[in-house]
Amino acid sequence: MSANSAEPGPTAEPGPTAGSGPTAEPGPTAGSGPTAEPRLTVVLVKAGKTKIRYPATLVADDGNRITVRAPWAAPGVRDFGFIRFEPGDVFTEHYWRDAWFAVKEVRSGAGVLKGWYCDITRPAEIQDGALLVEDLDLDLWVSADRSAVLRLDEDEFEESGLAGRDPAAAREAVRALDGLERMARAEGLAGLLSGPSERACEDDQLT
């Protein structure tokens, strides 16, 4: 996930940043003791290198869709022009083992929906307590009222050279972005997140 290079604002990551590196500390929602909720470390990889890692609470895993929740824990506000992320924001993140995207619902600390940030990625994997996701540069932002549906970082995608290195993956990435955009404009993304996980790959909007 990366900031929109066409928009004003910093180029920092617009996702939860509770920590980085192998010594990352749990965010403020971390549990403790025998009743602690299950935890995963989300590891975002780009071009073969770890871009960011942060702890998250495992909300659900039905064998296909994996849902985790993590707080925005960066020290201060980050304004990306189309959205502001700030302390107290909560990201509920949905990943699929068989789909080329992740959808992250963003709410304020008061529970007000801000919108959905969608990463185009390879299908997710869980290994040794880590949720591994490879970022393919393309992103989509959908505001809570769906008045803004923005395709992001298409220039970074072109510059990445993925189309030359792995044409099949590049086609899947563009297909996923196009499908999510169509769904966001036609009916919104809420149904994708609340319905059966199989819908991520079977819905006509995403084919």
Side-chain angles (χ1 to χ4, degrees), residues 1 15-19 24 40-43 52-56 70 93 95 104:
M1 184 165 56
T17 55
L40 287 174
T41 298
V42 180
V43 181
I52 189 173
R53 58 190 298 146
Y54 52 91
E93 307 182 354
Y95 301 88
K104 304 176 181 184

Side-chain angles (χ1 to χ4, degrees), residues 1-2 13 44-46 49-53 135 137:
M1 184 165 56
S2 54
E13 289 298 317
L44 185 65
V45 176
K46 184 174 179 180
K49 298 181 180 179
T50 297
K51 188 176 181 182
I52 189 173
R53 58 190 298 146
D135 180 24
D137 289 303

Side-chain angles (χ1 to χ4, degrees), residues 168-192:
R171 287 193 296 270
E172 289 289 352
V174 173
R175 174 176 171 270
L177 180 65
D178 290 345
L180 283 172
E181 181 183 17
R182 285 195 299 271
M183 178 177 283
R185 294 186 183 282
E187 62 188 71
L189 301 178
L192 173 66

Side-chain angles (χ1 to χ4, degrees), residues 1-3 13-16 42 44 51-52 54 93-96 99-104 116-122 133-141 152-153 173 176-177 180:
M1 184 165 56
S2 54
E13 289 298 317
V42 180
L44 185 65
K51 188 176 181 182
I52 189 173
Y54 52 91
E93 307 182 354
H94 303 267
Y95 301 88
W96 285 264
W100 289 69
F101 56 81
V103 180
K104 304 176 181 184
W116 298 268
Y117 202 106
C118 306
D119 282 331
I120 303 305
T121 69
R122 291 184 188 270
V133 187
E134 183 178 348
D135 180 24
L136 299 179
D137 289 303
L138 295 172
D139 303 301
L140 186 76
W141 169 253
L152 309 173
D153 297 335
L177 180 65
L180 283 172

Side-chain angles (χ1 to χ4, degrees), residues 18 25-31 39 55 71 73:
E25 293 295 323
T29 59
R39 305 282 285 175

Side-chain angles (χ1 to χ4, degrees), residues 59-182:
V59 175
D61 182 353
D62 66 4
N64 183 25
R65 183 173 63 200
I66 307 155
T67 301
V68 301
R69 184 170 293 120
W72 170 259
V77 174
R78 302 242 176 112
D79 190 339
F80 295 93
F82 53 90
I83 182 61
R84 283 165 55 96
F85 297 125
E86 50 202 334
D89 286 353
V90 176
F91 289 68
T92 301
E93 307 182 354
H94 303 267
Y95 301 88
W96 285 264
R97 290 179 172 88
D98 62 354
W100 289 69
F101 56 81
V103 180
K104 304 176 181 184
E105 179 188 273
V106 186
R107 292 183 179 270
S108 71
V112 177
L113 179 64
K114 291 187 170 184
W116 298 268
Y117 202 106
C118 306
D119 282 331
I120 303 305
T121 69
R122 291 184 188 270
E125 301 178 17
I126 292 182
Q127 295 181 11
D128 300 324
L131 176 55
L132 305 177
V133 187
E134 183 178 348
D135 180 24
L136 299 179
D137 289 303
L138 295 172
D139 303 301
L140 186 76
W141 169 253
V142 183
S143 62
D145 62 2
R146 293 168 50 208
S147 63
V149 178
L150 306 176
R151 295 169 69 104
L152 309 173
D153 297 335
E154 291 181 291
D155 53 346
E156 291 185 19
F157 177 74
E158 292 297 327
E159 292 167 3
S160 73
L162 182 65
R165 295 193 314 274
D166 191 340
R171 287 193 296 270
E172 289 289 352
V174 173
R175 174 176 171 270
L177 180 65
D178 290 345
L180 283 172
E181 181 183 17
R182 285 195 299 271

